[in-house]
Amino acid sequence: QQQVKQSPQSLIVQKGGISIINCAYENTAFDYFPWYQQFPGKGPALLIAIRPDVSEKKEGRFTISFNKSAKQFSLHIMDSQPGDSATYFCAASMLGNEKLTFGTGTRLTIIP
Amino acid sequence: KAGVTQTPRYLIKTRGQQVTLSCSPISGHRSVSWYQQTPGQGLQFLFEYFSETQRNKGNFPGRFSGRQFSNSRSEMNVSTLELGDSALYLCASSPMTGVSGNTIYFGEGSWLTVV
């Protein structure tokens, strides 16, 4: 019940296209859903996060869509750029708990 | 404002040895968490400390331990190293604990290779 399932494992998108990464969770006690971006040799960096009381959150080219009834959430990267090439992790945590449960990661490659 | 600082960045140890990794959180942050990252298991939570007390612990054997000092700096220790302990160990800090939606900041990690 603690798992967060992430897909796809890898993704290749053309420059200017839309990158979409999906995550699903089982534990309904999760109430905070961040996305992290990780470049090689670096630690994960928070990209954007959402709470289950909203269905969508947008920050620049990055949008999280959240479907509480389906227990799914996704990251959309609009106008994808080569600089977006990185590994993306979805995560979830419960109220009052600092522990992040991470998805398995998606290696995104943006090609010119 | 300096980020989360981890030392050492890279180290090689022999099976059976022990290792201590250090973490300095962002100034003013009082919660420190540790994660292990491997290609096979991904990012896994080890433990969290706040005010020198362990608040939460992941599913790792007792060989993995940690502590936090009064200045919020933290160390983690792995005893009797095994080949499978080779990983990137990430430290993360946040301002508080027990607050949902707390932004958690990660350091660049310590790369441990066990030979």
Side-chain angles (χ1 to χ4, degrees), chain A residues 38 42 44 89, chain B residues 35-39 42-44 86-90 111:
Chain A
Q38 186 177 29
K42 302 291 187 182
F89 293 92
Chain B
Y35 289 79
Q36 181 196 64
Q37 185 174 22
T38 60
L43 280 151
Q44 293 189 292
S86 295
L88 176 64
Y89 290 89
L90 291 159
W111 286 95

Side-chain angles (χ1 to χ4, degrees), chain A residues 31-32 36 38 41-46 51 89 93-104, chain B residues 9 31 35 37 43 45 48 55-56 88 90 94 96-104 106-108:
Chain A
D31 76 335
Y32 176 65
Y36 281 83
Q38 186 177 29
K42 302 291 187 182
L46 179 66
R51 303 286 295 273
F89 293 92
S93 67
M94 290 184 276
L95 178 66
N97 196 323
E98 296 300 288
K99 173 186 173 183
L100 287 169
T101 299
F102 281 91
T104 49
Chain B
R9 288 296 318 279
S31 170
Y35 289 79
Q37 185 174 22
L43 280 151
F45 174 81
E48 184 222 346
R55 286 196 75 245
N56 209 342
L88 176 64
L90 291 159
S94 60
M96 282 294 295
T97 191
V99 177
S100 182
N102 228 348
T103 299
I104 297 172
F106 283 84
E108 296 197 337

